[in-house]
Amino acid sequence: MLVLIGPILFIVLILFAIRLQKQGLAGWKAALLVVLGSLLIVAIMFGLLFVGFEGFDRPPG
């Protein structure tokens, strides 16, 4: 699931930044948006991984 969602979120973020830049947003602001959005996406992906594998190393029971 993460393999599909991560790249889709990155593509949506880049397309959103391109659309905003075409509407007149400064280039550095669009770049900052992509950087901060990428950090957020990576944090969400790692958070989902940590929650998904919580207790993975302990035996069931």
Side-chain angles (χ1 to χ4, degrees):
M1 182 174 104
L2 292 177
V3 175
L4 295 175
I5 292 175
I8 290 172
L9 288 175
F10 280 114
I11 291 170
V12 168
L13 175 66
I14 291 171
L15 291 176
F16 181 68
I18 290 172
R19 189 179 66 158
L20 286 178
Q21 193 173 14
K22 285 183 180 180
Q23 291 178 355
L25 187 68
W28 69 272
K29 288 183 181 178
L32 183 64
L33 176 73
V34 170
V35 169
L36 294 177
S38 297
L39 288 175
L40 180 67
I41 291 170
V42 168
I44 290 171
M45 293 295 119
F46 276 119
L48 289 174
L49 281 173
F50 286 140
V51 169
F53 284 106
E54 184 180 3
F56 187 72
D57 57 341
R58 290 178 288 225

